[in-house]
PDB file of all heavy atoms in Angstrom:
ATOM      1  N   ILE P  36     -34.520 -23.387 -24.995  1.00 97.00           N
ATOM      2  CA  ILE P  36     -35.667 -23.137 -25.806  1.00 97.00           C
ATOM      3  C   ILE P  36     -35.417 -24.156 -27.046  1.00 97.00           C
ATOM      4  O   ILE P  36     -36.420 -24.709 -27.490  1.00 97.00           O
ATOM      5  CB  ILE P  36     -35.533 -21.722 -26.354  1.00 97.00           C
ATOM      6  CG1 ILE P  36     -36.118 -20.780 -25.336  1.00 97.00           C
ATOM      7  CG2 ILE P  36     -36.589 -21.437 -27.588  1.00 97.00           C
ATOM      8  CD1 ILE P  36     -35.978 -19.269 -25.590  1.00 97.00           C
ATOM      9  N   MET P  37     -34.262 -24.342 -27.453  1.00 96.00           N
ATOM     10  CA  MET P  37     -33.783 -25.352 -28.510  1.00 96.00           C
ATOM     11  C   MET P  37     -34.149 -26.813 -28.000  1.00 96.00           C
ATOM     12  O   MET P  37     -34.818 -27.587 -28.794  1.00 96.00           O
ATOM     13  CB  MET P  37     -32.389 -25.336 -28.787  1.00 96.00           C
ATOM     14  CG  MET P  37     -31.810 -23.989 -29.473  1.00 96.00           C
ATOM     15  SD  MET P  37     -30.075 -24.089 -29.860  1.00 96.00           S
ATOM     16  CE  MET P  37     -29.421 -25.060 -28.591  1.00 96.00           C
ATOM     17  N   ALA P  38     -33.913 -27.001 -26.821  1.00 96.00           N
ATOM     18  CA  ALA P  38     -34.221 -28.321 -26.223  1.00 96.00           C
ATOM     19  C   ALA P  38     -35.728 -28.615 -26.130  1.00 96.00           C
ATOM     20  O   ALA P  38     -36.108 -29.648 -26.549  1.00 96.00           O
ATOM     21  CB  ALA P  38     -33.623 -28.469 -24.738  1.00 96.00           C
ATOM     22  N   PHE P  39     -36.488 -27.565 -25.861  1.00 97.00           N
ATOM     23  CA  PHE P  39     -37.933 -27.720 -25.761  1.00 97.00           C
ATOM     24  C   PHE P  39     -38.377 -27.990 -27.244  1.00 97.00           C
ATOM     25  O   PHE P  39     -39.273 -28.811 -27.468  1.00 97.00           O
ATOM     26  CB  PHE P  39     -38.681 -26.432 -25.284  1.00 97.00           C
ATOM     27  CG  PHE P  39     -38.423 -26.293 -23.783  1.00 97.00           C
ATOM     28  CD1 PHE P  39     -37.975 -25.051 -23.214  1.00 97.00           C
ATOM     29  CD2 PHE P  39     -38.611 -27.398 -22.851  1.00 97.00           C
ATOM     30  CE1 PHE P  39     -37.910 -25.008 -21.791  1.00 97.00           C
ATOM     31  CE2 PHE P  39     -38.413 -27.269 -21.461  1.00 97.00           C
ATOM     32  CZ  PHE P  39     -38.087 -26.048 -20.955  1.00 97.00           C
ATOM     33  N   MET P  40     -37.978 -27.228 -28.230  1.00 96.00           N
ATOM     34  CA  MET P  40     -38.411 -27.415 -29.627  1.00 96.00           C
ATOM     35  C   MET P  40     -38.141 -28.657 -30.201  1.00 96.00           C
ATOM     36  O   MET P  40     -38.832 -29.408 -30.912  1.00 96.00           O
ATOM     37  CB  MET P  40     -37.703 -26.238 -30.453  1.00 96.00           C
ATOM     38  CG  MET P  40     -38.317 -24.914 -30.126  1.00 96.00           C
ATOM     39  SD  MET P  40     -37.356 -23.553 -31.138  1.00 96.00           S
ATOM     40  CE  MET P  40     -38.449 -22.179 -30.733  1.00 96.00           C
ATOM     41  N   GLU P  41     -36.782 -29.242 -29.843  1.00 96.00           N
ATOM     42  CA  GLU P  41     -36.522 -30.601 -30.258  1.00 96.00           C
ATOM     43  C   GLU P  41     -37.115 -31.594 -29.671  1.00 96.00           C
ATOM     44  O   GLU P  41     -37.535 -32.710 -30.227  1.00 96.00           O
ATOM     45  CB  GLU P  41     -34.998 -30.798 -30.016  1.00 96.00           C
ATOM     46  CG  GLU P  41     -34.494 -32.013 -30.754  1.00 96.00           C
ATOM     47  CD  GLU P  41     -33.030 -32.362 -30.770  1.00 96.00           C
ATOM     48  OE1 GLU P  41     -32.226 -31.471 -30.408  1.00 96.00           O
ATOM     49  OE2 GLU P  41     -32.672 -33.461 -31.050  1.00 96.00           O
ATOM     50  N   THR P  42     -37.517 -31.468 -28.349  1.00 97.00           N
ATOM     51  CA  THR P  42     -38.532 -32.424 -27.635  1.00 97.00           C
ATOM     52  C   THR P  42     -39.866 -32.446 -28.398  1.00 97.00           C
ATOM     53  O   THR P  42     -40.425 -33.700 -28.523  1.00 97.00           O
ATOM     54  CB  THR P  42     -38.773 -31.960 -26.205  1.00 97.00           C
ATOM     55  OG1 THR P  42     -37.472 -31.887 -25.625  1.00 97.00           O
ATOM     56  CG2 THR P  42     -39.557 -32.953 -25.527  1.00 97.00           C
ATOM     57  N   LEU P  43     -40.299 -31.287 -28.870  1.00 96.00           N
ATOM     58  CA  LEU P  43     -41.606 -31.351 -29.667  1.00 96.00           C
ATOM     59  C   LEU P  43     -41.415 -32.141 -30.884  1.00 96.00           C
ATOM     60  O   LEU P  43     -42.224 -32.772 -31.385  1.00 96.00           O
ATOM     61  CB  LEU P  43     -42.052 -29.950 -29.920  1.00 96.00           C
ATOM     62  CG  LEU P  43     -42.510 -29.137 -28.727  1.00 96.00           C
ATOM     63  CD1 LEU P  43     -42.846 -27.689 -29.025  1.00 96.00           C
ATOM     64  CD2 LEU P  43     -43.834 -29.758 -28.141  1.00 96.00           C
ATOM     65  N   TYR P  44     -40.320 -32.021 -31.626  1.00 96.00           N
ATOM     66  CA  TYR P  44     -39.961 -32.723 -32.855  1.00 96.00           C
ATOM     67  C   TYR P  44     -39.802 -34.159 -32.474  1.00 96.00           C
ATOM     68  O   TYR P  44     -40.440 -35.049 -33.141  1.00 96.00           O
ATOM     69  CB  TYR P  44     -38.533 -32.312 -33.383  1.00 96.00           C
ATOM     70  CG  TYR P  44     -38.006 -33.217 -34.471  1.00 96.00           C
ATOM     71  CD1 TYR P  44     -38.686 -33.465 -35.598  1.00 96.00           C
ATOM     72  CD2 TYR P  44     -36.837 -33.843 -34.170  1.00 96.00           C
ATOM     73  CE1 TYR P  44     -38.171 -34.413 -36.689  1.00 96.00           C
ATOM     74  CE2 TYR P  44     -36.267 -34.699 -35.117  1.00 96.00           C
ATOM     75  CZ  TYR P  44     -36.952 -35.056 -36.311  1.00 96.00           C
ATOM     76  OH  TYR P  44     -36.462 -35.867 -37.169  1.00 96.00           O
ATOM     77  N   TYR P  45     -39.236 -34.607 -31.341  1.00 96.00           N
ATOM     78  CA  TYR P  45     -39.112 -35.972 -31.133  1.00 96.00           C
ATOM     79  C   TYR P  45     -40.432 -36.640 -30.714  1.00 96.00           C
ATOM     80  O   TYR P  45     -40.824 -37.753 -31.117  1.00 96.00           O
ATOM     81  CB  TYR P  45     -38.180 -36.163 -29.817  1.00 96.00           C
ATOM     82  CG  TYR P  45     -38.090 -37.619 -29.325  1.00 96.00           C
ATOM     83  CD1 TYR P  45     -37.260 -38.405 -29.879  1.00 96.00           C
ATOM     84  CD2 TYR P  45     -38.741 -37.860 -28.139  1.00 96.00           C
ATOM     85  CE1 TYR P  45     -37.094 -39.726 -29.350  1.00 96.00           C
ATOM     86  CE2 TYR P  45     -38.775 -39.252 -27.787  1.00 96.00           C
ATOM     87  CZ  TYR P  45     -37.741 -40.125 -28.295  1.00 96.00           C
ATOM     88  OH  TYR P  45     -37.691 -41.509 -27.882  1.00 96.00           O
ATOM     89  N   LYS P  46     -41.334 -35.864 -30.051  1.00 95.00           N
ATOM     90  CA  LYS P  46     -42.665 -36.382 -29.610  1.00 95.00           C
ATOM     91  C   LYS P  46     -43.697 -36.444 -30.874  1.00 95.00           C
ATOM     92  O   LYS P  46     -44.512 -37.415 -31.003  1.00 95.00           O
ATOM     93  CB  LYS P  46     -43.248 -35.428 -28.605  1.00 95.00           C
ATOM     94  CG  LYS P  46     -42.660 -35.513 -27.227  1.00 95.00           C
ATOM     95  CD  LYS P  46     -42.872 -36.863 -26.573  1.00 95.00           C
ATOM     96  CE  LYS P  46     -42.291 -36.784 -25.131  1.00 95.00           C
ATOM     97  NZ  LYS P  46     -42.541 -38.103 -24.463  1.00 95.00           N
ATOM     98  N   THR P  47     -43.478 -35.503 -31.817  1.00 94.00           N
ATOM     99  CA  THR P  47     -44.539 -35.428 -32.994  1.00 94.00           C
ATOM    100  C   THR P  47     -44.091 -35.952 -34.230  1.00 94.00           C
ATOM    101  O   THR P  47     -44.935 -36.350 -35.034  1.00 94.00           O
ATOM    102  CB  THR P  47     -44.950 -33.886 -33.065  1.00 94.00           C
ATOM    103  OG1 THR P  47     -43.858 -33.197 -33.578  1.00 94.00           O
ATOM    104  CG2 THR P  47     -45.503 -33.227 -31.744  1.00 94.00           C
TER     105      THR P  47
END
Side-chain angles (χ1 to χ4, degrees):
I36 292 175
M37 294 181 327
F39 290 132
M40 290 175 171
E41 187 173 347
T42 300
L43 291 170
Y44 164 62
Y45 177 81
K46 289 290 186 181
T47 64

